[in-house]
Amino acid sequence: MSTLAHPTMTAARAAESISAGELDRFPYADRPTPPAPRWEGAESELGRVGRKTTSSRGRGLHGQLVQQLGQMIVSGDLGADRPLVPEEIGQRFEVSRTVVRESLRVLEAKGLVSARPNVGTRVRPVGDWNLLDPDIIEWRAFGPQRDEQRRELFELRWAIEPLAARLAAGHGREDVQARLVELTEIMGHAGAQGDLVSYGRADAELHGLVLQMAGNRMLEHLSGIVSCALQVSGGPGTTCERPSDSAVSLHARLVDALGIGDGTAAEAAVRALLTVHPDVEHAVPAPREH
């Protein structure tokens, strides 16, 4: 029996083909897709810099197959060194060979699979994955590794955002500074209205802009990744504090410091933002035994 389940199978067909112990048990197939963010603010051109990824969202059957196979690999349903037979994939998902081929190429670019002559396509170990790829971040954030993913994302932010804020102070164009001020206003309004989606989107864009203003191309490259991480992960230790007057005030303090070129104050504001969460004792990075 195949180890791959068609994502659009009816309940009856699923019941006939799925049995305990098989990899057909795909835990994400029935998981509701998170609602699309309701974002009414105009995102700046700078806010879109650095977001070129191998993401396959919104690309029909090709994108759906990438999502399904990617989630199965990241969740462990398809373990390392597992062979992926294109013919079997095409049959079980009822897609063409072209769709299968292009989907596997995307997964290979993400480091999830490898294709070799006389060996075929196989799942690669976690150490080979591009863990900074937005799709992989999302799949891990909604999968069995979600706690580990959130911890790692927080530690990444703790390592780079305070430095980025110090470097960015006084280096933003007037239009960028105006956008930062606007974002804090959006956050304040969204928080007061209980609009968590708009609050989160504004929060993500603001933090992404700070990284892009730092004048460091490597940090700029991470800006889209941090913005994506803020949007898809949620939960303690990844986003800033839930909407509140204190959180909005700290963001405003950060923006003011950036505007006047006070790097020390900007760095301090970011550190405060990353430690205002109630679970801060568990979130602030500390040495761990390996």
Side-chain angles (χ1 to χ4, degrees):
M1 178 171 289
S2 168
T3 60
L4 298 171
H6 190 291
T8 58
M9 288 192 303
T10 62
R13 181 177 172 186
E16 293 173 357
S17 60
I18 298 176
S19 61
E22 294 180 350
L23 292 181
D24 296 275
R25 296 180 296 103
F26 182 44
Y28 297 92
D30 299 324
R31 177 176 61 82
T33 301
R38 294 173 289 112
W39 179 238
E40 298 178 355
E43 186 178 37
S44 66
E45 289 296 324
L46 181 59
R48 289 192 286 269
V49 173
R51 296 195 185 186
K52 294 182 180 179
T53 70
T54 54
S55 175
S56 57
R57 296 182 181 87
R59 295 186 182 178
L61 289 175
H62 163 257
Q64 293 176 31
L65 184 57
V66 170
Q67 289 284 316
Q68 293 280 45
L69 292 177
Q71 289 171 338
M72 293 176 77
I73 292 170
V74 170
S75 70
D77 280 355
L78 293 176
D81 208 36
R82 183 86 184 186
L84 298 178
V85 182
E87 292 77 11
E88 178 186 336
I89 295 174
Q91 180 180 9
R92 295 302 300 166
F93 286 87
E94 296 182 3
V95 294
S96 68
R97 295 176 62 182
T98 299
V99 170
V100 174
R101 182 170 60 251
E102 292 302 316
S103 298
L104 291 177
R105 285 179 180 173
V106 172
L107 295 175
E108 186 173 16
K110 297 176 185 295
L112 294 178
V113 304
S114 62
R116 299 185 203 173
N118 304 320
V119 176
T121 301
R122 292 181 175 271
V123 176
R124 300 173 69 173
V126 177
D128 293 338
W129 299 355
N130 177 10
L131 296 179
L132 295 181
D133 181 281
D135 279 338
I136 295 180
I137 289 174
E138 177 177 340
W139 297 334
R140 294 185 72 208
F142 287 111
Q145 302 174 12
R146 54 184 168 270
D147 291 338
E148 181 180 3
Q149 172 71 103
R150 290 170 177 173
R151 174 184 59 77
E152 291 174 351
L153 286 172
F154 176 81
E155 292 175 351
L156 175 65
R157 293 188 62 200
W158 183 267
I160 66 176
E161 288 197 67
L163 172 62
R166 175 180 285 275
L167 295 174
H171 293 165
R173 304 190 309 261
E174 290 186 6
D175 60 328
V176 178
Q177 185 64 28
R179 178 58 176 169
L180 290 173
V181 172
E182 181 182 20
L183 288 170
T184 61
E185 294 173 352
I186 292 173
M187 292 174 67
H189 178 74
Q193 298 296 319
D195 184 354
L196 303 184
V197 172
S198 293
Y199 182 96
R201 290 293 300 274
D203 183 27
E205 185 181 340
L206 187 151
H207 285 269
L209 283 173
V210 172
L211 267 71
Q212 293 169 39
M213 290 167 56
N216 182 307
R217 291 184 179 180
M218 297 187 73
L219 289 175
E220 180 179 325
H221 181 73
L222 293 174
S223 63
I225 296 169
V226 170
S227 295
C228 173
L230 282 164
Q231 292 179 47
V232 305
S233 298
T238 53
T239 58
C240 293
E241 185 181 14
R242 296 178 183 87
S244 67
D245 291 341
S246 61
V248 174
S249 177
L250 283 171
H251 282 90
R253 187 189 306 175
L254 167 62
V255 172
D256 289 343
L258 293 173
I260 64 176
D262 189 340
T264 300
E267 179 179 355
V270 169
R271 291 193 183 280
L273 280 168
L274 293 174
T275 56
V276 293
H277 197 278
D279 295 336
V280 61
E281 292 82 6
H282 306 290
V284 174
R288 297 192 307 275
E289 295 182 1
H290 296 282

